Amino acid sequence: MLFVALIPLLSGGWLSGPQSTFETEGPVAKTQLDVFYVTLWVTVIIFIVVGAVLAYTTLKFRTDKPLDELPEPPPQGHGNPLVELSLIAASILALVFIAVPTLRAIWYTYDVPEDQQDIAYEVTAIGYQWWFKFEYPMEMTPQPFGGEAPLITANELVIPAGRPVRVNLRSVDVIHSFWVPKLAGKVDMIPNRGNHLWLQADEPGYFWGQCAEFCGESHALMRFRVIALAEPEFEAWLENQKTLARTVTAPDDAMITTDYVDYGTFRANQPGWSEEFDADPLGNWKALQEPNAGEDAALIEAGRRYFVENRCAGCHVVRGHEGMGALGPDLTRIGARSTIAAGLLENTPENLYRWITEPEGVKPGNFMYHTRIVAPDGMVTMPGYVMRDPATGDVIESPGDIKITPEEGHALVAYLNSLK
Amino acid sequence: MSSHAATAGPTDHHHDASTSTGIPNKKLFMWGFLASDCMFFGALIATHLIYRLHPPVGTPDPRDIFAIELTSGSTFVLLMSSLLMALAVNACQQGNVATTRKMLLGTIVFGLIFLGVQVYEFIHFVHAYGLTTSSSLFGSTFYTLTGTHGVHVALGILWLALMYIRSFKPRDDSAGQGWILRGFFHFLTFTAMVVLSLYTLLALVHGYEAGNGLAYFFSNHFLAFFGCIALLGGLIWFAKPRGPVDFGEANAIDVESMGLYWHFVDVVWIVIFPVVYLLEYVVLS
Amino acid sequence: MDQSLTKNEFIGTEVEQTQEAKRSWLFTRPDHKTGLVNWLTTVDHKRIGILYGISALFFFLVGGVEALVIRLQLAVPNNDFISAQTYNEMFTMHATTMIFLAVMPLGAAFFNYIMPLQIGARDVAFPRLNGFAYWLFLVGAIILNLGFFVKSGLPDMGWFGYAPLTSTAFSSEFAGDMSTDMWIMGLQVLGVSSVIGSLNFIVTIINMRAPGLTMMRLPVFTWMTLFTSFLIILAFPAITIALVNVMMDRNFGTHFFEVSGGGLPILWQHLFWVFGHPEVYILILPAMGIISEILPTFARKPLFGYPIVVFSGALIGLLGFGVWAHHMFTTGMGTVATAAFTLATMAIAVPTGVKIFNWIGTLWKGQLIMTTPMMFALGFIWMFMMGGFSGIMHSAAPADAQQHDSYFVVAHFHYVLIGGSVFALLAGIHYWFPLMFARKIPEFWGKLSFWVIFGGFNITFFPLHFVGLNGMPRRVFTYDDNMGWSSINMIATIGAFILGIGIAIYFGVMIYSYYKGEKAKRDPWGGRTLEWSLPIPPPPHNFDVTPTVHARDAFWYEKHHKAEIAAENAKKAVDDEAHGGIHMPSNSWFPIISAAGMLFAALMFCNHSYLGAMAGAVIMFFGIWMWSVEGPGGYHLHPTKKGDDANASH
């Protein structure tokens, strides 16, 4: 296995990255990688042997003379049954060698092993165009107007480390796929079908994931994160999640003290990552769980107002505040997420400002931007930033359009970042 | 490429010396096509069965909708049409043009009856039970599968009709191509007669059910009834022989190819009927 | 020359010839021997083959440009060269074009041109149907590519069109958005074209072989034509029904894949891949056939283990219907199904591997002449082997759980499709070019194009294995720089342009050689199969005298038993003349007219104008009716008559 570990090094870092299938961090991914290695070695050996014969043949029996100068043709052999049969037998043997560990792994990776099912943790991942909703069916959370419901988050899945986690997979629209390569191979999220996978993060860590089934315009931008925490930290995280949204109040006469930063213009598909964050993702994520230093309470309160006035509350839940709509991702604790727009941009004020003021340039076709809900009589029931004429597809101005001014944008960013 | 066979002996309808296998090209082609069509219907039947295994909420119970006696009857009719088709092939191979025509016509009639019953069935399903392609998944798969089969039957009938008209092509074509037109009107008359007859029959049946007497029937459907008689006369006149025709033993291969197609369509229905209709009463209940 | 029909011909009997009846112009078969009308009404399998070939090569370039656009967008991270929408359209069109409008018709081009020659036939079983299949292909190609010119735009849901992306809710940008409908109708028409063509080939191969040509003496290319044709007629119905289901959903409110109505999107996947997997064997079997012709010719010895190669082809075709769900390993089918398809997929590797062993066995102890076709053929063996290995890696479902929908798959199938199918087709073009056009392609330029293509191809696709294992998913229009994928993507883009240059050289050389190439002499390569026994280019009637076959590699036998064959042919020539010469089929307008009706009907249907669609169907039926009524036609040639120079006459 030491030799095997050299492959990533030999390939010059080509197999190293946040979504590498070679840098496994859990038993499922490791089993899958082991099966790959079996296939790799068998085929490499066959390649060397057959390739050597082919190369030798090509070099040894080639002739440089043109056709008319050649002597009699070589002996017109038709075949050799013994050679044929032995090669067929050898091929079958090689495949049997691959098949045995493969079959074992199929059963192992299908569901949580029986002897561990009692300690397995269960979550549900639901695919939307182009984000992930996560539900914790075991974590009943008090709702603002009474009653309880499972905990709902989005785009960053927090799980306990060192335990199997069973992920139920659903979709509300088209086929998506749940792929966090360092922990497990993917399984598709298919509408009207109940799929699942299981994974386990051996140690606490921060893992990248991506939708791996073409799901429409912004498929490339539908990503997510998995954060595995040690048991006590996970419990603490759950405790916090179950409370209502964090409220920041300012005294009545408080003034907004923050100066606005002019972020300038953004270009489409602009990158949203930073080396500082990537240097210690888990540590940086943990830091985000705490309130930011120097919060401007008045700005946050203004942002909370704009959240309602600009009708964000109609599509996004902020449990305990005004946000009620379930069409978009749950934002109750968005300030504590390391990424926004479904794992696409690092959660910085600039990126968040960009996302809410110019969503189309971040994620083309997203439904925050385009009005999606139109009643049968054509009345727009849920406004977006623009409306498209259903007949021609052109963008048309409508009085219901959401417009966010720079002041509103900065206030909203402050409010959202306060939701820890 | 067929070569010139200079023999004047009897035709061997089971062996074509110009091909490598002895099977005529057209026949082999038809068999290949039927193999492809098998997969075609296989996919449709599989789709239907899969959705019967996973019916969504609100799927109607087919047993409330189907009228098995009626469908069994039309299945039998279609089976009998295959018999007539086989007799048509046989007659053509013996060079008996008159019998060939009668058998072809019989196949067409029986095929039209099958289709007519299916149309009647579907109309009934739509109006009495609201079963449409969009009302439920059962409707989607049912109509698509049986509808595709119905289209195959209809195309077969069209082909049979064209072959029937073809059988009137005069050997002496100095009179031009008017025989096509005559054949076309012959066919129109025939279709009108079939439709009218069915209408008259239906009126008679409904009248009987409603307890009306024959007098009522005649006074209200006089036109239809005598229309039938008149058209029957027209048909007989059209079909009068007008001289030797350019149709005979040599066309048997075409009639046989058509027969293969028709038998296939019949066999597919023999599979669809149990799988779609009867299964509901036996397995899926 | 009066081509009006006077003689009716039936199997077995001769009808007494009637006096010359004047037929209307409607029933008169066109008789042009050259010019545009000849090309539009041709029933000659060689001309139809060339039509397929030219169309395929044109669309190959279109697909190639689409690929370069894709690679340009992916060259650097966070690129904004094209929008996400355009990118999705590009990869949809690239795949659809390459599969259906380039590789398949190139295969059809060779089936049409070469196969009848290899079996000693004068044409295929149904010449007008053959023409109809080509014109339908062109109709399908037009419908698929109309999106470049109309507002609806191009389809953007991938060549595999997974439901429910194809439903109206997810695929229509605006009310009249026909992009998905045109994709559906284009594929339907192409399906009809393929099935019709394949039925023709099956009947031809089974029924029109020269005397003495038993099945086990057939050239391997003809065998592969037969197997591919069977695969086509049995696999296309599945996608036809799947597309009908989508059409019904979009037009008639059915719920086959409508999630809200209880539809199961996974059913689309099953139906599609029941077609889709045999489709990839449809793409590779002709290539394997071509290689099996080229290697013996340039090794100057027979194919090693001919019966096993043939049997492997049959087995691959058969097993190919049993492995489709290996495209669905990640859909949660359950352990038993997953294990079954894993084992079946591994099983199919055996006959595939066997062929490679046999090709190497053919080369062993031969005299290897390194011409351009031989280089492409050798390149094929290497590249296809590598593609086969990544295929074995996919067959292990747990490993595939990581590889599926990543660039590892992209690398795999481009190795088997380009390194496999395309290399073999490029080899075939070089190999049969002297036969078809009587000119030689200069070796230096041919080999140069090979090396540039080979290098560019490997530079593009080998690194993609790594980026796939490094977690890069497919069908993504962009990626971030911190993923570790950037350098490989840049390398792949550079490689793609090198590959493009290689293709450009190849095309340039081909076009130049067509007009100005050195004239080739007969049997330039020392061929072994019957097509090389003909004058170049072959005359319309192919063989002056239908050959009698005595052994496998029929022409090789002929060359080494010249006296015996000469005597045989002389006797046959006398027989043929006694029967009135060779009967040749006449041209006809109705294949192209019927296809035009289909084009009209399909476009009207896309536009939801059902009345217009019926009108188009009526035109098509009229064309077919006239086709059946215009009569068998035909004229006679006397190529062996003394003093005559193969002039046509009654």
Side-chain angles (χ1 to χ4, degrees), chain A residues 126-132 171-176 214-219 222 327 329 342 363 365-368 372, chain C residues 164-165 169-171:
Chain A
I126 304 157
Y128 284 73
Q129 277 180 320
W130 292 280
W131 57 279
F132 289 89
S171 168
V172 300
D173 41 34
V174 298
I175 303 180
H176 300 277
F214 182 68
C215 53
E217 196 169 349
S218 275
H219 160 66
M222 180 174 166
L327 289 168
K363 200 171 247 196
N366 78 82
F367 298 115
M368 187 162 80
R372 188 151 176 227
Chain C
L165 278 171
F170 295 109
S171 66

Short mmCIF file of all heavy atoms in Angstrom, two decimals, chain A residues 126-132 171-176 214-219 222 327 329 342 363 365-368 372, chain C residues 164-165 169-171:
data_model
loop_
_atom_site.label_atom_id
_atom_site.label_comp_id
_atom_site.label_asym_id
_atom_site.label_seq_id
_atom_site.Cartn_x
_atom_site.Cartn_y
_atom_site.Cartn_z
N ILE A 126 -32.34 17.03 0.67
CA ILE A 126 -33.35 17.21 -0.37
C ILE A 126 -32.79 18.14 -1.43
O ILE A 126 -32.33 19.25 -1.11
CB ILE A 126 -34.63 17.80 0.22
CG1 ILE A 126 -35.12 16.90 1.36
CG2 ILE A 126 -35.71 17.93 -0.85
CD1 ILE A 126 -36.01 17.59 2.35
N GLY A 127 -32.82 17.70 -2.66
CA GLY A 127 -32.25 18.50 -3.74
C GLY A 127 -33.26 19.47 -4.31
O GLY A 127 -34.42 19.12 -4.56
N TYR A 128 -32.82 20.70 -4.47
CA TYR A 128 -33.61 21.73 -5.14
C TYR A 128 -32.74 22.27 -6.27
O TYR A 128 -31.52 22.19 -6.21
CB TYR A 128 -33.91 22.89 -4.19
CG TYR A 128 -34.98 22.64 -3.17
CD1 TYR A 128 -34.75 21.81 -2.07
CD2 TYR A 128 -36.22 23.27 -3.26
CE1 TYR A 128 -35.73 21.60 -1.12
CE2 TYR A 128 -37.20 23.08 -2.31
CZ TYR A 128 -36.95 22.23 -1.24
OH TYR A 128 -37.92 22.03 -0.30
N GLN A 129 -33.38 22.89 -7.24
CA GLN A 129 -32.56 23.60 -8.22
C GLN A 129 -32.11 24.91 -7.58
O GLN A 129 -32.91 25.78 -7.35
CB GLN A 129 -33.37 23.90 -9.48
CG GLN A 129 -33.42 22.74 -10.45
CD GLN A 129 -34.23 23.05 -11.69
OE1 GLN A 129 -35.26 23.68 -11.61
NE2 GLN A 129 -33.77 22.60 -12.84
N TRP A 130 -31.03 25.19 -7.22
CA TRP A 130 -29.70 24.64 -7.22
C TRP A 130 -29.11 24.77 -5.85
O TRP A 130 -28.18 25.55 -5.62
CB TRP A 130 -28.87 25.34 -8.28
CG TRP A 130 -29.37 25.00 -9.67
CD1 TRP A 130 -29.11 23.87 -10.36
CD2 TRP A 130 -30.25 25.79 -10.49
NE1 TRP A 130 -29.76 23.91 -11.58
CE2 TRP A 130 -30.46 25.07 -11.68
CE3 TRP A 130 -30.87 27.06 -10.36
CZ2 TRP A 130 -31.26 25.53 -12.73
CZ3 TRP A 130 -31.67 27.53 -11.37
CH2 TRP A 130 -31.85 26.77 -12.55
N TRP A 131 -29.76 24.09 -4.86
CA TRP A 131 -29.25 24.13 -3.49
C TRP A 131 -29.73 22.88 -2.77
O TRP A 131 -30.55 22.13 -3.27
CB TRP A 131 -29.71 25.40 -2.76
CG TRP A 131 -31.19 25.61 -2.71
CD1 TRP A 131 -31.98 26.13 -3.71
CD2 TRP A 131 -32.06 25.34 -1.63
NE1 TRP A 131 -33.28 26.19 -3.31
CE2 TRP A 131 -33.37 25.71 -2.03
CE3 TRP A 131 -31.89 24.82 -0.34
CZ2 TRP A 131 -34.48 25.57 -1.21
CZ3 TRP A 131 -33.00 24.70 0.49
CH2 TRP A 131 -34.29 25.07 0.06
N PHE A 132 -29.18 22.67 -1.58
CA PHE A 132 -29.50 21.48 -0.82
C PHE A 132 -30.22 21.86 0.46
O PHE A 132 -29.74 22.72 1.21
CB PHE A 132 -28.22 20.72 -0.42
CG PHE A 132 -27.53 20.04 -1.56
CD1 PHE A 132 -26.58 20.74 -2.30
CD2 PHE A 132 -27.81 18.74 -1.89
CE1 PHE A 132 -25.92 20.12 -3.36
CE2 PHE A 132 -27.16 18.11 -2.94
CZ PHE A 132 -26.22 18.80 -3.68
N SER A 171 -35.64 14.54 -3.80
CA SER A 171 -35.57 15.74 -4.66
C SER A 171 -36.97 16.26 -4.88
O SER A 171 -37.92 15.48 -4.96
CB SER A 171 -34.92 15.38 -6.00
OG SER A 171 -35.11 16.44 -6.91
N VAL A 172 -37.08 17.57 -5.01
CA VAL A 172 -38.41 18.14 -5.25
C VAL A 172 -38.62 18.48 -6.71
O VAL A 172 -39.76 18.73 -7.12
CB VAL A 172 -38.65 19.43 -4.43
CG1 VAL A 172 -38.54 19.13 -2.96
CG2 VAL A 172 -37.72 20.53 -4.85
N ASP A 173 -37.55 18.53 -7.50
CA ASP A 173 -37.78 18.94 -8.89
C ASP A 173 -37.15 17.97 -9.88
O ASP A 173 -37.84 17.12 -10.42
CB ASP A 173 -37.33 20.39 -9.13
CG ASP A 173 -36.02 20.73 -8.42
OD1 ASP A 173 -35.13 19.85 -8.29
OD2 ASP A 173 -35.87 21.87 -8.00
N VAL A 174 -35.87 18.08 -10.14
CA VAL A 174 -35.22 17.22 -11.13
C VAL A 174 -34.24 16.32 -10.39
O VAL A 174 -34.13 16.34 -9.17
CB VAL A 174 -34.50 18.04 -12.21
CG1 VAL A 174 -35.48 18.89 -12.98
CG2 VAL A 174 -33.42 18.91 -11.60
N ILE A 175 -33.51 15.53 -11.14
CA ILE A 175 -32.56 14.60 -10.52
C ILE A 175 -31.30 15.36 -10.12
O ILE A 175 -30.73 16.10 -10.93
CB ILE A 175 -32.19 13.46 -11.49
CG1 ILE A 175 -33.44 12.72 -11.93
CG2 ILE A 175 -31.22 12.48 -10.80
CD1 ILE A 175 -33.16 11.58 -12.88
N HIS A 176 -30.91 15.22 -8.87
CA HIS A 176 -29.63 15.76 -8.40
C HIS A 176 -28.80 14.60 -7.88
O HIS A 176 -29.23 13.45 -7.96
CB HIS A 176 -29.86 16.76 -7.26
CG HIS A 176 -30.70 17.94 -7.65
ND1 HIS A 176 -30.20 19.05 -8.30
CD2 HIS A 176 -32.03 18.18 -7.47
CE1 HIS A 176 -31.19 19.91 -8.49
NE2 HIS A 176 -32.29 19.42 -8.00
N PHE A 214 -26.45 16.30 -13.73
CA PHE A 214 -26.85 17.52 -14.43
C PHE A 214 -28.29 17.88 -14.11
O PHE A 214 -29.20 17.07 -14.32
CB PHE A 214 -26.68 17.35 -15.94
CG PHE A 214 -27.03 18.59 -16.71
CD1 PHE A 214 -26.25 19.73 -16.60
CD2 PHE A 214 -28.15 18.64 -17.52
CE1 PHE A 214 -26.57 20.89 -17.29
CE2 PHE A 214 -28.48 19.78 -18.21
CZ PHE A 214 -27.69 20.91 -18.09
N CYS A 215 -28.48 19.07 -13.59
CA CYS A 215 -29.81 19.43 -13.09
C CYS A 215 -30.26 20.78 -13.61
O CYS A 215 -31.10 21.43 -13.00
CB CYS A 215 -29.80 19.43 -11.57
SG CYS A 215 -28.50 20.43 -10.83
N GLY A 216 -29.70 21.23 -14.73
CA GLY A 216 -30.19 22.47 -15.29
C GLY A 216 -29.10 23.53 -15.36
O GLY A 216 -27.91 23.23 -15.21
N GLU A 217 -29.53 24.75 -15.57
CA GLU A 217 -28.61 25.82 -15.92
C GLU A 217 -27.43 25.95 -14.97
O GLU A 217 -26.28 26.01 -15.39
CB GLU A 217 -29.37 27.14 -15.98
CG GLU A 217 -28.62 28.23 -16.70
CD GLU A 217 -29.50 29.44 -16.97
OE1 GLU A 217 -30.72 29.34 -16.80
OE2 GLU A 217 -28.96 30.48 -17.36
N SER A 218 -27.70 25.99 -13.67
CA SER A 218 -26.61 26.24 -12.72
C SER A 218 -26.16 24.99 -11.98
O SER A 218 -25.72 25.06 -10.83
CB SER A 218 -27.05 27.32 -11.72
OG SER A 218 -26.81 28.59 -12.25
N HIS A 219 -26.23 23.89 -12.66
CA HIS A 219 -25.77 22.63 -12.05
C HIS A 219 -24.35 22.77 -11.53
O HIS A 219 -24.02 22.29 -10.44
CB HIS A 219 -25.87 21.52 -13.08
CG HIS A 219 -25.04 20.33 -12.78
ND1 HIS A 219 -25.27 19.51 -11.70
CD2 HIS A 219 -23.97 19.80 -13.41
CE1 HIS A 219 -24.38 18.53 -11.68
NE2 HIS A 219 -23.57 18.68 -12.70
N MET A 222 -24.01 24.21 -7.94
CA MET A 222 -24.79 23.63 -6.84
C MET A 222 -23.83 22.78 -6.01
O MET A 222 -23.53 21.65 -6.36
CB MET A 222 -25.93 22.78 -7.37
CG MET A 222 -26.77 22.14 -6.30
SD MET A 222 -28.19 21.33 -7.05
CE MET A 222 -28.77 20.35 -5.70
N LEU A 327 -39.75 28.42 0.30
CA LEU A 327 -39.33 28.12 -1.07
C LEU A 327 -37.82 28.10 -1.22
O LEU A 327 -37.28 27.39 -2.05
CB LEU A 327 -39.91 29.17 -2.02
CG LEU A 327 -41.41 29.09 -2.23
CD1 LEU A 327 -41.89 30.34 -2.95
CD2 LEU A 327 -41.74 27.87 -3.05
N PRO A 329 -33.72 28.49 0.72
CA PRO A 329 -33.01 27.93 1.86
C PRO A 329 -33.37 28.61 3.18
O PRO A 329 -33.66 29.81 3.22
CB PRO A 329 -31.53 28.18 1.52
CG PRO A 329 -31.51 28.38 0.06
CD PRO A 329 -32.82 28.98 -0.31
N ALA A 342 -25.26 28.09 -1.91
CA ALA A 342 -25.05 26.64 -2.01
C ALA A 342 -23.59 26.30 -2.24
O ALA A 342 -23.22 25.75 -3.27
CB ALA A 342 -25.93 26.02 -3.09
N LYS A 363 -25.39 33.15 -9.93
CA LYS A 363 -25.98 31.85 -10.24
C LYS A 363 -27.04 32.04 -11.32
O LYS A 363 -28.21 32.25 -11.01
CB LYS A 363 -26.60 31.29 -8.96
CG LYS A 363 -26.82 29.79 -9.00
CD LYS A 363 -27.22 29.27 -7.64
CE LYS A 363 -26.15 28.40 -7.09
NZ LYS A 363 -26.59 27.57 -5.98
N GLY A 365 -30.00 31.97 -13.75
CA GLY A 365 -31.23 31.21 -13.75
C GLY A 365 -31.82 30.97 -12.37
O GLY A 365 -32.87 30.34 -12.27
N ASN A 366 -31.17 31.47 -11.32
CA ASN A 366 -31.67 31.12 -9.99
C ASN A 366 -33.04 31.74 -9.74
O ASN A 366 -33.39 32.76 -10.31
CB ASN A 366 -30.68 31.56 -8.91
CG ASN A 366 -30.76 33.05 -8.64
OD1 ASN A 366 -31.62 33.53 -7.90
ND2 ASN A 366 -29.86 33.79 -9.26
N PHE A 367 -33.83 31.10 -8.88
CA PHE A 367 -35.23 31.48 -8.74
C PHE A 367 -35.45 32.61 -7.75
O PHE A 367 -36.55 33.10 -7.60
CB PHE A 367 -36.07 30.26 -8.37
CG PHE A 367 -36.00 29.21 -9.44
CD1 PHE A 367 -35.42 27.99 -9.21
CD2 PHE A 367 -36.46 29.50 -10.72
CE1 PHE A 367 -35.34 27.05 -10.22
CE2 PHE A 367 -36.38 28.56 -11.74
CZ PHE A 367 -35.81 27.33 -11.48
N MET A 368 -34.37 33.04 -7.11
CA MET A 368 -34.48 34.26 -6.31
C MET A 368 -34.61 35.42 -7.27
O MET A 368 -35.38 36.35 -7.07
CB MET A 368 -33.22 34.42 -5.46
CG MET A 368 -33.28 35.53 -4.47
SD MET A 368 -32.03 35.32 -3.19
CE MET A 368 -30.58 35.91 -4.03
N ARG A 372 -40.84 33.02 -10.04
CA ARG A 372 -41.15 31.65 -10.41
C ARG A 372 -42.60 31.30 -10.22
O ARG A 372 -43.16 30.52 -10.96
CB ARG A 372 -40.34 30.70 -9.56
CG ARG A 372 -40.55 29.29 -10.13
CD ARG A 372 -39.47 28.51 -9.90
NE ARG A 372 -39.57 27.13 -10.30
CZ ARG A 372 -39.20 26.17 -9.49
NH1 ARG A 372 -38.83 26.46 -8.27
NH2 ARG A 372 -39.20 24.94 -9.92
N PRO C 164 -36.86 14.63 -15.08
CA PRO C 164 -37.85 15.52 -15.68
C PRO C 164 -37.29 16.80 -16.31
O PRO C 164 -38.07 17.72 -16.54
CB PRO C 164 -38.73 15.86 -14.47
CG PRO C 164 -37.94 15.59 -13.27
CD PRO C 164 -36.76 14.74 -13.62
N LEU C 165 -35.99 16.83 -16.64
CA LEU C 165 -35.48 18.04 -17.30
C LEU C 165 -36.15 18.28 -18.65
O LEU C 165 -36.15 19.40 -19.15
CB LEU C 165 -33.97 17.93 -17.51
CG LEU C 165 -33.09 18.28 -16.32
CD1 LEU C 165 -31.65 17.91 -16.61
CD2 LEU C 165 -33.19 19.76 -16.01
N ALA C 169 -42.09 21.97 -17.83
CA ALA C 169 -41.81 22.83 -16.68
C ALA C 169 -40.35 23.22 -16.59
O ALA C 169 -40.00 24.32 -16.19
CB ALA C 169 -42.24 22.13 -15.40
N PHE C 170 -39.45 22.30 -16.97
CA PHE C 170 -38.03 22.57 -16.76
C PHE C 170 -37.27 22.91 -18.02
O PHE C 170 -36.09 23.22 -17.97
CB PHE C 170 -37.36 21.36 -16.08
CG PHE C 170 -37.87 21.11 -14.71
CD1 PHE C 170 -38.68 20.02 -14.44
CD2 PHE C 170 -37.56 21.97 -13.67
CE1 PHE C 170 -39.16 19.80 -13.17
CE2 PHE C 170 -38.04 21.76 -12.40
CZ PHE C 170 -38.85 20.67 -12.15
N SER C 171 -37.90 22.79 -19.17
CA SER C 171 -37.11 22.97 -20.38
C SER C 171 -37.59 24.12 -21.25
O SER C 171 -36.99 24.41 -22.26
CB SER C 171 -37.12 21.70 -21.21
OG SER C 171 -38.43 21.47 -21.67
#
